[in-house]
Amino acid sequence: MTPGSRSVPDIAELQPGITTGPGTRGDVRLVGQRCAACGTRAFPARLRCVSCFSDSTERVELSRVGKVDAFTVVRQPPPGYRGHVPYVLGQVVFDNDLVALSHLVGKPVGDWRCGDIVASYAFELPVGAGSVPHRTFAFYPASPQDLAEA
Amino acid sequence: MARAFVIGIGLTAFGRHPDRSVEDLAAEAVVAACEDAGVEWRRVERFYAAHVNQGVSAGQRVIREVGPSGIPVLNIENCSAAASTAVREASLAVRSGEMDLVAVCGFEKMQHGMLLNVHPEDSPEVATGATVLPMRFALMAQKHMDRFDTTLEQMAGVSVKNRAHARHNDKAQFRTELSLEDVLGSRMICDPITLFQCSPTPDGAAAAVICSESFAARRGRGRAVELRASGLVSDIDEQAHNVFDLEMVRSNAAGVYERAGIGPGELDVVETHDCFSVAEIIACEKLGLCPEGEGGPLLESGATRLGGRIPVNPSGGLLAKGHPLGATGLGQIAEIVTQLRGEAGKRQVEGARVGLTSNMGMWSSRIHVLGV
């Protein structure tokens, strides 16, 4: 995928509500949860708090900029995956201490390094037998504007 | 609690068995375990069947072959740790005094191809390509390389060592040696994990007969091996925080060592879950065989080879023996029993008296300490 695909049109969401709607640059915020009882945050949101198991949780929009903690280039895709191969999956630490497992896109697969600074954007992925385009999220190399807004 | 002993083990060859049913494979292992124990099937009081993708109530289908004796059958699915979970439940049943003699069998006919973290077809994990299992261990490997300067050669060295060990194991799927160049030069699957750093996916079955202290006392201890302690810990790090780590192995090992009354320094031999090469390196750290971050140098030093300070995976491990999900945990236990009996032939760890198995299923760790 090229950075040009960031401005994803209004298509079905893979996981409804997991991000905010895309901004003009295709930028999205991931939406997690904060526990009203103990304050623990989690991404993605669950039925209950992951720490105290309270059901009194609220949705929270998370900051877009994060750091690649680990990554791998998947060269042999699993059955059912319809996207581009090879692809990069990484663990991104963002909004202080949350971790997301995410596609990393926006530069050649061999150029990723632990410690890369990234930001969340909308990302289009073909899904299912019909390869129907869906909107999900991915982390791209953070631009100066991403950093300025963070 | 009272004590529990393994008095019989049985294994099929791990490999491709296209012409045999899974029931047939499992029945072979159960009958072999009963013969090894010197007990008649009709005396077994309960049967634990461990399997992952073999259909519902596969244990009952196995009993139909071995002998429909009317005993209770329990089917246990716990991903790759199904069999060691079943052994733990079986040992607790005899240690509690409920049972005197039980049989456990893990079995699996595998699909060809890559190991998957199976999700429903319409799940986002499938759509995003996140079900590819080596990915999780590739992430751990990248992090380990980044934090501790672990090298590609050290990780590939796990495959070289375990393939060398398996030369002497006639139940192993792969019994030919590989060089470091072979392993590093094989096809890249998920960077930095190459094909020969992924465990193969054979068919196979492994069984054990487990008895109570009083049963063992009545018939004489003989070649019995004691199940001294076990533990089961399920993961919080990934389920709550999306962090892939083997911290569950560290916390499980701590509890098991305490219950067994030993420390890692007292182990003579270890079978650990090397589903991918890096898993053995990290598990050695989590099991306390070396300090955190030094799993790479430990491998390189030769300490974990046969003849080294603490041989790890003398059977060849999952990387060479193979990884038939439901059977894997009992494959490990059978190896430790063989080692502690002194019956491992050319792969014998001299004088081994205490051994450990560390088995992992998705999001869980199962550890057993066995001794003579």
Side-chain angles (χ1 to χ4, degrees):
Chain A
M1 289 288 167
T2 63
S5 66
R6 289 180 192 181
S7 292
V8 176
D10 194 15
I11 55 175
E13 290 179 81
L14 182 61
Q15 294 160 279
I18 203 169
T19 69
T20 59
T24 52
R25 296 184 297 122
D27 49 303
V28 295
R29 286 180 182 276
L30 305 190
V31 176
Q33 112 190 336
R34 179 167 45 219
C35 176
C38 77
T40 298
R41 296 167 312 131
F43 174 81
R46 323 289 166 86
L47 194 59
R48 288 168 178 260
C49 169
V50 297
S51 179
C52 74
F53 318 135
S54 164
D55 61 359
S56 176
T57 61
E58 58 201 15
R59 293 288 183 272
V60 52
E61 294 181 9
L62 302 165
S63 64
R64 293 183 50 238
V65 173
K67 188 161 105 174
V68 175
D69 194 42
F71 69 94
T72 185
V73 184
V74 182
R75 296 172 190 275
Q76 184 174 333
Y81 172 73
R82 309 284 173 188
H84 186 264
V85 179
Y87 57 100
V88 181
L89 290 176
Q91 287 190 289
V92 175
V93 181
F94 71 112
D95 206 295
N96 292 323
D97 57 355
L98 294 176
V99 181
L101 177 64
S102 171
H103 277 254
L104 301 180
V105 284
K107 63 176 176 176
V109 296
D111 289 357
W112 287 97
R113 299 290 177 266
C114 293
D116 282 350
I117 303 298
V118 290
S120 54
Y121 282 88
F123 178 58
E124 186 182 318
L125 203 57
V127 172
S131 289
V132 179
H134 279 65
R135 175 160 65 80
T136 179
F137 66 90
F139 282 87
Y140 285 73
S143 70
Q145 190 176 347
D146 293 328
L147 296 174
E149 289 171 1
Chain B
M1 272 201 291
R3 300 158 76 184
F5 297 86
V6 178
I7 54 170
I9 54 170
L11 279 171
T12 68
F14 283 10
R16 294 274 171 240
H17 296 284
D19 303 327
R20 297 183 61 187
S21 68
V22 72
E23 294 88 346
D24 186 31
L25 292 170
E28 177 191 330
V30 172
V31 168
C34 287
E35 285 175 358
D36 185 46
V39 299
E40 289 182 70
W41 169 250
R42 68 179 70 252
R43 300 197 54 188
V44 172
E45 298 166 294
R46 182 183 284 172
F47 180 59
Y48 293 83
H51 45 93
V52 180
N53 294 312
Q54 306 304 300
V56 294
S57 298
Q60 280 85 337
R61 305 200 313 260
V62 172
I63 287 283
R64 203 164 55 185
E65 302 299 319
V66 178
S69 62
I71 58 173
V73 179
L74 278 79
N75 291 276
I76 294 184
E77 186 275 306
N78 229 347
C79 195
S80 311
S84 55
T85 302
V87 169
R88 175 171 156 78
E89 295 307 309
S91 72
L92 292 175
V94 298
R95 293 183 71 187
S96 73
E98 189 190 5
M99 296 276 150
D100 256 343
L101 186 68
V102 301
V104 191
C105 184
F107 48 88
E108 201 82 24
K109 281 204 82 168
M110 296 290 286
Q111 289 189 324
H112 290 227
M114 186 165 47
L115 285 171
L116 299 172
N117 175 14
V118 177
H119 278 69
E121 240 170 78
D122 59 353
S123 70
E125 287 81 1
V126 169
T128 55
T131 57
V132 44
L133 199 61
M135 172 270 288
R136 319 159 81 80
F137 290 87
L139 292 172
M140 290 184 218
Q142 293 283 8
K143 205 185 291 193
H144 214 267
M145 290 164 68
D146 190 52
R147 306 279 148 80
F148 303 117
D149 295 326
T150 305
T151 66
L152 296 173
E153 289 75 16
Q154 288 166 345
M155 289 188 282
V158 175
S159 297
V160 174
K161 169 179 72 73
N162 292 350
R163 289 286 284 255
H165 287 172
R167 274 180 310 161
H168 307 301
N169 184 355
D170 63 3
K171 304 294 190 191
Q173 182 173 17
F174 291 141
R175 300 184 59 199
T176 51
E177 288 197 72
L178 289 174
S179 69
L180 209 50
E181 293 69 33
D182 293 333
V183 177
L184 289 169
S186 63
R187 182 160 53 90
M188 188 63 79
I189 303 295
C190 283
D191 303 27
I193 295 178
T194 58
L195 180 64
F196 291 157
Q197 297 179 69
C198 302
S199 51
T201 52
D203 311 322
V209 173
I210 296 170
C211 76
S212 66
E213 192 170 1
S214 58
F215 187 96
R218 285 200 298 277
R219 71 195 292 274
R221 195 71 61 79
R223 293 149 71 234
V225 172
E226 184 177 3
L227 287 158
R228 284 177 54 178
S230 69
L232 185 162
V233 165
S234 292
D235 165 271
I236 294 175
D237 294 327
E238 184 185 342
Q239 295 195 317
H241 307 299
N242 295 329
V243 173
F244 301 136
D245 196 348
L246 301 183
E247 180 60 18
M248 62 186 184
V249 177
R250 193 203 57 74
S251 62
N252 195 9
V256 173
Y257 287 143
E258 190 183 333
R259 289 193 289 283
I262 64 164
E266 284 156 83
L267 297 173
D268 299 312
V269 56
V270 168
E271 283 278 308
T272 189
H273 195 93
D274 54 334
C275 47
F276 303 96
S277 57
V278 66
E280 178 177 311
I281 285 181
I282 299 178
C284 285
E285 300 171 6
K286 303 294 184 186
L287 294 170
L289 307 183
C290 65
E292 175 109 38
E294 293 182 23
L298 179 78
L299 180 282
E300 217 165 39
S301 75
T304 55
R305 295 187 83 92
L306 275 168
R309 171 171 68 80
I310 174 69
V312 174
N313 286 325
S315 71
L318 281 55
L319 283 169
K321 190 173 57 194
H323 184 20
L325 307 182
T328 289
L330 262 162
Q332 295 179 318
I333 286 165
E335 176 66 14
I336 294 297
V337 168
T338 304
Q339 291 284 348
L340 301 187
R341 285 170 162 181
E343 297 175 356
K346 284 186 177 172
R347 63 178 197 281
Q348 180 66 45
V349 177
E350 288 308 318
R353 300 188 61 79
V354 182
L356 175 147
T357 63
S358 174
N359 186 201
M360 297 189 293
M362 195 58 72
W363 302 312
S364 297
S365 157
R366 311 287 183 286
I367 293 175
H368 288 269
V369 167
L370 298 93
V372 289

